[in-house]
Amino acid sequence: MNSRANDCGITQSGMVKERGRVVAIEAEALWVETRQQSACDGCNAKQGCGQSLLSRLGSSPTQLKVLLNGQSPEDFREGDWVEIGIAETLIVKASLLVYCVPLLTLLIGALVANNVWGGELGSIMGALVGLFIGGWVVRWHSVQHEHNPSVQPVVLSEAAVTLNWQPES
């Protein structure tokens, strides 16, 4: 498999990588099943830790549509292990968008409502409206970029290692 820069110009070193199993193949993408890994797996205190229990209970497979990054779909079969990646900068930008936009619109809503109506109830209502508007803006942005290849995970290579979990069939 190739290890060149992807279509976004990001090399593999600037990527957050994960391994997963191919569950379906399309003309320009693979559906890959991954399982969120917890830091608890490497911790010595995991037997007596509540966080370890919660991470085991909440750990379920996730299926992602992953672009082939110029590779042929004939190179893959269902059940193959692949390494996928997404640009680190994209994760940072998405995190800022998801957290900061609703927070800023909440604050703006509270300030505007306080100046218009005054009082605590007005500020609370304005903050809730601002939070709703911020959530809507984030959702709108997500829908607008849903099919944008520059914000999608890509296949980096076939995974050469065996993982210690078995995806649910």
Side-chain angles (χ1 to χ4, degrees), residues 61-136:
T62 303
Q63 291 188 2
L64 303 167
K65 185 175 183 178
V66 181
L67 300 178
L68 285 171
N69 196 23
Q71 300 176 48
S72 171
E74 288 82 31
D75 293 343
F76 302 95
R77 287 176 292 182
E78 288 185 24
D80 284 353
W81 289 96
V82 294
E83 183 175 50
I84 61 175
I86 191 162
E88 291 173 350
T89 56
L90 183 63
I91 292 174
V92 172
K93 289 176 185 177
S95 297
L96 287 172
L97 177 76
V98 168
Y99 289 108
C100 291
V101 169
L103 179 62
L104 288 174
T105 56
L106 177 141
L107 292 173
I108 291 169
L111 290 172
V112 168
N114 187 45
N115 287 335
V116 172
W117 293 295
E120 189 174 330
L121 184 59
S123 294
I124 292 171
M125 296 306 292
L128 290 174
V129 168
L131 181 63
F132 175 78
I133 290 171
W136 181 83

Side-chain angles (χ1 to χ4, degrees), residues 35-42 51-52 55-56 59:
R35 181 178 296 266
Q36 183 178 354
Q37 299 293 317
S38 169
C40 296
D41 294 338
Q51 182 64 34
S52 175
S55 71
R56 283 193 306 265
S59 179

Side-chain angles (χ1 to χ4, degrees), residues 124-147:
I124 292 171
M125 296 306 292
L128 290 174
V129 168
L131 181 63
F132 175 78
I133 290 171
W136 181 83
V137 168
V138 169
R139 176 69 180 139
W140 175 82
H141 185 271
S142 173
V143 168
Q144 294 299 311
H145 295 282
E146 184 175 14
H147 300 292

